[in-house]
């Protein structure tokens, strides 16, 4: 099962903060819209009331002037600041006009004017100053701004908290889907609260996992059943080859039957690994010696270098007065160098190393080098290296390096990865910078 790694936080922006930013932007837009509307409505109301006061003030002042000949407070005849539109009215009716000038400590105002006695008579005018009301408007604007900031300060944490609840539910679904994609078919999100779209997504992911698990279990049972049923007739075929007369035909048939038996055994091994039926039998063994034995069993040539053994051989040659370098290219370490003692299953370890060495010879080029250092075993060849799709997706079953069967590495790497998981070890596949495939096996600490 491949490990599931969540995306690192610097590479993404949390949904929580996206929703909080959206809530903040919405609150700012609402506050700005409400503030503008309130400002415009209040300013219009102030101006309307000022016009009404100016209109009524002219009415009262003209009536007083006509009855008594005296000017009421705030009224004047043809004042110097009277707007031009009121200085020569077209009729004898009352009129008002807005004056935005600010002079003599008088802010924007509204003038009301009317001729006192028909055409040619003086114009009586009353000025209504709007400065107090406009000051109240500025105070209202300030209060609206403060209220908007307070509302924004309260809305953002609430939005972040609500988005955090939603984000945790989505993250739970995402982690479950990631575990399923990594091979954990027992991962489930389970029931989620809310009964909304997130709960629907979680239920759908669980249903997908159930369906996928049923299909994979069916395929694994089929593979195991086929391999088990083939085991008996293949064994019979191998026994029957002993009855053939010696010769080229007998050798060819025996070789093919042995290959077929090896394939059946590999299928059975894979089915057991998939079913989780394999369990290690651990023992304390010298890692270098086990690796040498595994390489020798393959029947292929490969140089084995054990880091501790190399140092010992060099030291002994130096003490003997000889050269500190190996005598020839075939000498890389003492033959009996055991290497570090580890607690592992030696049979499974031999299976992993043997498969890696066989794979290096079949799909790479010589020389094949096996290096043991500490608890790490590295198998390297000098061929074209692993294909990019294998490094990205891992080995695929029943794909060999033959051109007519596509690119791949058969069952050997699949079994090696499965056995490494049983041992709790890490098997990493990579390509060397100067060419060649590199398989690195790291055993867990004892």
């Amino acid at each position: 099962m491949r490990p599931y790694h969540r995306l690192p936080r610097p590479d993404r922006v949390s949904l929580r903060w996206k929703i909080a930013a959206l809530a903040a932007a919405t609150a700012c837009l609402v506050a700005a819209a409400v503030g503008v509307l309130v400002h415009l409505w209040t300013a219009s109301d102030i101006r309307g009331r000022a016009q009404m006061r100016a209109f009524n003030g002219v009415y009262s002042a003209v009536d007083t002037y006509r009855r008594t000949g005296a000017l009421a407070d705030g009224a004047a005849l043809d004042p110097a600041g009277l707007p031009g539109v009121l200085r020569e009215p077209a009729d004898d009716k009352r009129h008002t006009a807005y004056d935005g000038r600010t002079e003599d400590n008088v802010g924007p105002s509204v003038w009301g004017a009317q001729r006192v006695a028909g055409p040619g008579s003086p114009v009586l005018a009353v000025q209504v100053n709007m400065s107090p009301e406009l000051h109240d408007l500025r105070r209202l604007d300030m209060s609206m701004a403060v209220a908007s900031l307070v509302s924004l300060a309260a809305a953002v944490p609430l939005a972040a908290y609500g988005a955090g609840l939603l984000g945790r539910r989505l993250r739970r679904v995402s982690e479950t889907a990631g575990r399923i994609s990594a091979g954990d078919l027992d991962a489930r999100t389970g029931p989620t609260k809310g009964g909304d779209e997130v709960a629907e997504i979680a239920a759908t992911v669980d249903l997908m996992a159930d369906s996928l698990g049923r299909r994979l279990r069916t395929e694994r049972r089929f593979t195991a059943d086929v391999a088990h049923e083939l085991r008996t007739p293949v064994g019979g075929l191998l026994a029957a080859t002993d009855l053939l007369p010696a010769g080229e035909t007998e050798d060819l048939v025996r070789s093919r039957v042995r290959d077929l038996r090896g394939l059946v055994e590999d299928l059975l091994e894979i089915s057991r690994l998939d079913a989780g039926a394999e369990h290690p039998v651990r023992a304390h063994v010298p890692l270098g010696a086990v690796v040498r034995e595994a390489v020798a069993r393959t029947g292929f040539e490969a140089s084995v270098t054990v880091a501790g053994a190399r140092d010992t051989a060099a030291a002994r040659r130096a003490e003997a007065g000889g050269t500190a370098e190996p005598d020839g290219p075939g000498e890389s370490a003492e033959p009996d160098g055991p290497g570090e003692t580890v607690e592992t299953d030696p049979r499974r370890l031999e299976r992993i190393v043997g498969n890696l060495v066989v794979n290096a010879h079949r799909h790479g080029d010589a020389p094949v080098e096996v290096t043991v250092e500490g608890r790490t075993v590295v198998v390297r060849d000098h061929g074209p290296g692993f294909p990019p799709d294998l490094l990205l997706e891992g080995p695929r079953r029943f794909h060999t390096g033959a051109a007519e069967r596509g690119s791949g590495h058969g069952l050997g790497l699949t079994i090696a990865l499965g056995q490494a998981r049983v041992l709790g070890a890490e098997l990493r596949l990579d390509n060397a910078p100067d060419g060649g495939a590199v398989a690195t096996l790291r055993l867990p600490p004892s």
Side-chain angles (χ1 to χ4, degrees):
M1 182 175 63
R2 292 179 287 111
Y4 165 62
H5 300 288
R6 198 167 64 189
L7 288 176
R9 292 188 179 274
D11 294 343
R12 64 191 178 105
V13 179
S14 173
L15 179 65
R16 176 180 186 178
W17 299 116
K18 288 183 179 179
I19 295 179
L22 179 62
T26 303
C28 289
L29 289 176
V30 171
V34 171
V36 170
L37 290 176
V38 169
H39 177 88
L40 293 177
W41 181 85
T42 305
S44 176
D45 180 69
I46 291 174
R47 185 168 177 174
R49 287 188 284 110
Q51 288 178 339
M52 183 61 66
R53 287 166 52 194
F55 194 85
N56 293 336
V58 169
Y59 175 81
S60 177
V62 169
D63 182 69
T64 300
Y65 184 80
R66 288 176 177 175
R67 286 187 295 103
T68 64
L71 294 174
D73 292 339
L77 294 174
D78 295 326
L82 185 66
V85 68
L86 300 179
R87 191 171 297 279
E88 295 293 338
D91 51 33
D92 296 336
K93 296 182 179 181
R94 283 166 287 175
H95 298 278
T96 59
Y98 174 74
D99 185 6
R101 295 173 296 176
T102 55
E103 298 177 355
D104 299 331
N105 296 326
V106 178
S109 58
V110 175
W111 290 85
Q114 181 182 1
R115 291 189 182 276
V116 295
S121 62
V123 175
L124 189 146
V126 173
Q127 183 181 18
V128 177
N129 186 8
M130 296 191 302
S131 294
E133 289 82 0
L134 293 178
H135 177 70
D136 293 339
L137 177 61
R138 286 190 292 271
R139 293 179 58 187
L140 177 62
D141 292 341
M142 184 62 66
S143 300
M144 289 290 297
V146 173
S148 298
L149 293 176
V150 172
S151 300
L152 181 62
V156 170
L158 290 176
Y161 176 74
L165 297 178
L166 176 62
R168 280 193 290 272
R169 295 172 60 199
L170 289 174
R171 191 177 299 114
R172 181 181 174 188
V173 177
S174 174
E175 291 176 351
T176 301
R179 289 168 57 192
I180 294 172
S181 68
D184 184 6
L185 299 182
D186 295 327
R188 297 293 184 274
T189 304
T192 58
K193 301 179 181 179
D196 50 12
E197 288 82 355
V198 178
E200 183 178 352
I201 293 174
T204 303
V205 170
D206 288 348
L207 288 176
M208 177 194 68
D210 292 337
S211 176
L212 182 61
R214 286 193 299 268
R215 293 184 181 183
L216 288 180
R217 282 190 293 270
T218 301
E219 292 180 2
R220 289 172 179 174
R221 282 196 300 268
F222 175 77
T223 302
D225 292 343
V226 169
H228 183 75
E229 293 298 328
L230 287 175
R231 197 174 191 178
T232 300
V234 169
L237 282 175
L238 187 59
T241 57
D242 294 334
L243 303 178
L244 294 175
E248 184 178 351
T249 302
E250 186 266 346
D251 292 338
L252 179 61
V253 172
R254 184 183 293 274
S255 174
R256 292 295 180 263
V257 172
R258 286 176 177 171
D259 291 342
L260 182 57
R261 185 179 67 173
L263 176 61
V264 172
E265 295 296 335
D266 286 347
L267 288 174
L268 286 173
E269 185 174 0
I270 287 178
S271 65
R272 291 193 299 269
L273 290 171
D274 288 342
E278 294 287 318
H279 302 285
V281 179
R282 300 185 182 276
H284 291 277
V285 294
L287 181 58
V290 174
V291 171
R292 286 196 182 93
E293 180 67 20
V295 173
R297 289 179 183 273
T298 64
F300 291 100
E301 293 185 2
S303 63
V304 180
T305 302
V306 181
R310 176 187 291 273
D311 295 340
T312 302
R316 289 181 180 177
R317 282 192 299 269
E319 290 176 0
T323 175
E325 297 297 327
D327 295 334
E331 181 186 0
S332 59
E334 278 193 299
D336 297 330
E340 182 175 340
T341 300
V342 297
E343 183 181 6
T344 187
D345 188 329
R347 182 182 66 85
R348 300 183 190 279
L349 179 58
E350 287 186 5
R351 179 69 162 152
I352 297 171
V353 175
N355 279 14
L356 294 177
V357 172
V358 171
N359 182 82
H361 276 279
R362 288 181 178 176
H363 305 285
D365 289 331
V368 176
E369 301 170 351
V370 181
T371 304
V372 180
E373 183 174 358
R375 311 181 70 84
T376 302
V377 181
V378 179
V379 179
R380 176 185 176 178
D381 62 52
H382 291 75
F386 292 117
D389 59 339
L390 183 143
L391 297 178
L392 181 63
E393 302 175 3
R396 294 178 294 171
R397 302 172 185 181
F398 298 110
H399 282 240
T400 67
E404 64 274 10
R405 297 184 60 187
S407 60
H409 289 254
L411 297 177
L413 288 181
T414 303
I415 293 175
L417 286 170
Q419 294 291 6
R421 286 195 295 269
V422 174
L423 295 180
E426 177 190 4
L427 178 56
R428 181 182 180 128
L429 307 178
D430 206 346
N431 290 328
D434 55 345
V438 179
T440 304
L441 176 67
R442 291 186 177 89
L443 297 177
S446 301

